Amino acid sequence: MGLLSRMLGGRPGAAAITETIGDAVRVLPGVVQSSLVFNHQPHSSGAVSGVVDVSDTPTFLEVLRTVRRVLEPLLGDGADRVTFYLTGRTLDGTTVQPGDLGLSQPPNGREIRQRLLGP
């Protein structure tokens, strides 16, 4: 369980997590607009879903990395069990899915940590 979760006597609420990841993604260079939502799930830590308008595919990769990094202090080890239902949309309207980038579709936090952040 993460530090914030322990301090609050349980896991943080979905609204607080949604706001935190939204704030982190919104300020990334190349992010035009984002609509992200976090939901707790009964048999996993949760799911992040939404669409992020980005300038290019590398920016979408950075969105995936950033969301995973932000989840770590909020959910602790549970960040590995979050499912990422995220889609990127580039300026020319091209849709980018994690599966297009060599990840599972949808990936979980563990895969993103291992493949995009290192061990």
Side-chain angles (χ1 to χ4, degrees):
M1 199 177 295
L3 176 62
L4 180 61
S5 182
R6 285 192 301 269
M7 289 172 39
L8 297 175
R11 63 186 180 180
I17 295 172
T18 294
E19 183 177 348
T20 303
I21 61 175
D23 290 347
V25 168
R26 192 177 304 92
V27 299
L28 290 174
V31 170
V32 178
Q33 182 176 341
S34 67
S35 175
L36 302 177
V37 176
F38 177 85
N39 292 299
H40 288 293
Q41 301 290 309
H43 300 292
S44 71
S45 291
V48 178
S49 59
V51 177
V52 182
D53 292 323
V54 294
S55 58
D56 52 24
T57 300
T59 300
F60 182 63
L61 279 169
E62 190 55 35
V63 166
L64 295 172
R65 288 183 191 103
T66 298
V67 171
R68 177 57 182 80
R69 283 186 196 113
V70 168
L71 290 173
E72 183 76 30
L74 298 172
L75 300 174
D77 293 341
D80 275 350
R81 295 187 308 275
V82 171
T83 304
F84 284 64
Y85 297 102
L86 297 180
T87 300
R89 186 171 45 218
T90 62
L91 297 176
D92 65 1
T94 302
T95 301
V96 182
Q97 302 283 336
D100 300 331
L101 306 172
L103 297 167
S104 300
Q105 187 62 37
N108 64 25
R110 174 177 286 119
E111 181 181 4
I112 289 174
R113 178 178 50 81
Q114 290 174 338
R115 306 245 344 253
L116 300 181
L117 298 176

